[in-house]
Amino acid sequence: SGEMYRASYRAAWLSAIFLPAVQIISACALAAVVWYGGFQAQSGFLTIGGIQAFISYITFMMWPVQDLARIFAEMQQSIASAERIFSMIDSKPQIADREGAIDPGSIKGDIIFDNVSFAYEDSDVPVLKDFSLHVKAGETIALVGPTGGGKTTTVNLLCRFYEPQTGSIRIAGHDYRDLTLNAIQSRIGVVLQTPHLFSGTIRENIAYGRLKASQEDIESAAKLVGAHHFIQRFENGYEEQVGESGVLLSVGQKQLISLARAVLSNPEIFIMDEATSSVDTLTEAMIQKGMEAIMRDRTSIIIAHRLSTIKRADRILVIENGQIAEMGNH
């Protein structure tokens, strides 16, 4: 923050001094013309009209220079931003497909974490330590425990946003490093604590789960999670604008649309990360009905602190200090 402050202060100082400097030079040039032109006029070598012409020439010449000075600082900022954009485009992802990676067509099956250890980059403290877990196909498990215990890291590893340093993760009998990223991530549905909606209509946001979905499929997904009734109350129905990041909707409405999007994508593995922590009790009940519809016949992992969210899970795991401290049903 200190480095950012110093750079911003210097940029603002240079921007503030640059335009006045150009204006001072322009004023000095005009003063020189008037002063020298006065002597010339007294000597009869120049008329008053000639002096006025020179002043006009200098004024017309300095206006573009002043405009350039005004936008120079913005040009510098745009150049710096362009460098960052291109550096990001050119960056290589840390997680990439191996040579010979396959897409088996389905990842339905057991999920096995086998002595997995993982630490984030630039950290010597492992988040997960010799973590082992066997999730049966179609089972619903809940992860609970203190903040920083490793719950979200577990699902991040399953989604292959990261890979474990030691141990292995197998999905449907395959080491998931032998599968393509698309094979895994296109078949996992994730609903986060803070759902993200794109600027556009409700229909477009739900259809993001499957871009070629028909209107009937979109409405079926919305009905399944309990979102159809409030969508119908809008003046434009499914064509209602949601605003940037969904600002025109409530948190609960955004969450239900996010659930509908997940249903439409028809995931084989469903992950829910604190999706009901910021909604009221009535909305939570609606979301739970939607969850039950999504989790039916799917392998599901729920991260939550509310008992009402997890009590229907087949197994509840207490994750503490990167390991399973307790395990059992409600």
Side-chain angles (χ1 to χ4, degrees):
S1 295
E3 189 175 343
M4 176 68 181
Y5 163 75
R6 287 188 292 272
S8 299
Y9 181 86
R10 184 169 181 271
W13 186 85
L14 290 172
S15 178
I17 206 71
F18 193 55
L19 181 59
V22 173
Q23 291 175 334
I24 288 171
I25 294 172
S26 176
C28 290
L30 289 173
V33 168
V34 172
W35 176 77
Y36 185 72
F39 283 114
Q40 294 292 308
Q42 284 182 336
S43 305
F45 293 108
L46 191 65
T47 64
I48 299 296
I51 298 174
Q52 178 59 42
F54 269 101
I55 292 174
S56 300
Y57 297 152
I58 292 175
T59 303
F60 292 147
M61 182 183 71
M62 296 304 294
W63 277 350
V65 175
Q66 291 179 9
D67 288 338
L68 285 173
R70 188 162 47 250
I71 66 171
F72 183 74
E74 296 179 14
M75 287 175 56
Q76 294 299 310
Q77 289 180 347
S78 66
I79 291 171
S81 299
E83 288 177 356
R84 295 299 300 274
I85 289 171
F86 286 114
S87 67
M88 182 166 286
I89 292 174
D90 294 337
S91 63
K92 303 295 182 183
Q94 292 180 324
I95 307 300
D97 290 339
R98 284 181 175 180
E99 187 176 349
I102 63 170
D103 184 344
S106 172
I107 57 172
K108 284 184 178 179
D110 293 2
I111 300 170
I112 300 173
F113 287 74
D114 187 8
N115 292 318
V116 169
S117 294
F118 174 78
Y120 287 101
E121 192 175 353
D122 301 327
S123 174
D124 297 328
V125 181
V127 182
L128 296 179
K129 294 169 286 189
D130 297 324
F131 182 87
S132 295
L133 173 64
H134 186 169
V135 182
K136 296 178 181 177
E139 186 179 18
T140 298
I141 67 167
L143 305 181
V144 300
T147 301
K151 305 184 296 297
T152 300
T153 299
T154 302
V155 298
N156 283 342
L157 287 171
L158 176 59
C159 294
R160 207 175 163 199
F161 299 146
Y162 305 94
E163 290 181 350
Q165 275 94 28
T166 61
S168 64
I169 299 175
R170 294 195 295 277
I171 301 177
H174 301 276
D175 186 324
Y176 83 157
R177 294 185 183 94
D178 295 330
L179 305 179
T180 63
L181 286 169
N182 184 66
I184 299 170
Q185 294 172 356
S186 65
R187 295 182 175 95
I188 295 179
V190 182
V191 179
L192 301 173
Q193 178 178 356
T194 305
H196 180 80
L197 300 186
F198 300 94
S199 179
T201 64
I202 293 175
R203 180 187 59 79
E204 290 169 338
N205 273 279
I206 296 176
Y208 191 75
R210 196 171 79 236
L211 297 177
K212 296 182 179 179
S214 65
Q215 181 66 25
E216 290 74 20
D217 293 335
I218 293 170
E219 291 186 11
S220 296
K223 289 175 182 176
L224 193 62
V225 302
H228 181 74
H229 71 283
F230 82 80
I231 296 174
Q232 288 293 86
R233 290 203 299 266
F234 288 121
E235 181 180 354
N236 299 314
Y238 283 84
E239 298 304 319
E240 186 77 14
Q241 293 287 329
V242 302
E244 189 68 34
S245 299
V247 294
L248 301 180
L249 303 178
S250 69
V251 174
Q253 289 171 338
K254 288 193 287 186
Q255 199 65 273
L256 289 172
I257 291 175
S258 180
L259 278 167
R261 179 195 295 163
V263 168
L264 189 65
S265 68
N266 194 27
E268 296 176 1
I269 298 172
F270 178 64
I271 295 172
M272 200 161 182
D273 190 353
E274 290 283 7
T276 61
S277 63
S278 57
V279 298
D280 57 81
T281 307
L282 183 61
T283 305
E284 182 190 11
M286 294 168 59
I287 292 174
Q288 284 177 1
K289 287 183 180 179
M291 286 169 54
E292 291 175 8
I294 297 174
M295 293 187 296
R296 195 173 295 125
D297 300 324
R298 287 186 176 91
T299 304
S300 304
I301 300 175
I302 304 169
I303 298 175
H305 288 108
R306 291 186 182 181
L307 177 62
S308 56
T309 307
I310 64 173
K311 64 183 181 182
R312 294 185 182 86
D314 298 315
R315 281 189 293 163
I316 300 173
L317 279 63
V318 180
I319 309 296
E320 193 170 0
N321 297 323
Q323 296 180 320
I324 299 174
E326 296 181 71
M327 180 166 53
N329 58 26
H330 172 237

